[in-house]
Amino acid sequence: MRPDIYNRLTEMAGAERRSISSQIETLIEDGVARWEKQQRREEAARAKVQ
């Protein structure tokens, strides 16, 4: 394979990997935000009961 084609393919693969890892990071952040929101709701509900 010619070096320029190889370099282009490796650049594309690297970009895809970064994209996937940033998507995973976003999913984790969203999940944490939802969990924190749920925790606040539960705490507020407990505070109302008391």
Side-chain angles (χ1 to χ4, degrees), residues 31-43:
V32 168
R34 279 194 297 271
W35 181 83
E36 289 174 338
K37 192 175 187 180
Q38 182 63 32
Q39 294 300 308
R40 285 193 299 272
R41 282 187 192 140
E42 290 174 5
E43 288 174 14

Side-chain angles (χ1 to χ4, degrees), residues 1-2 4 8-9 17-19 22-24 27 32-33 35-36 43-44:
M1 193 173 337
R2 293 187 345 214
D4 58 328
R8 179 81 175 121
L9 288 173
R17 255 195 315 279
R18 282 191 299 278
S19 174
S22 79
Q23 289 173 14
I24 291 170
L27 286 172
V32 168
W35 181 83
E36 289 174 338
E43 288 174 14

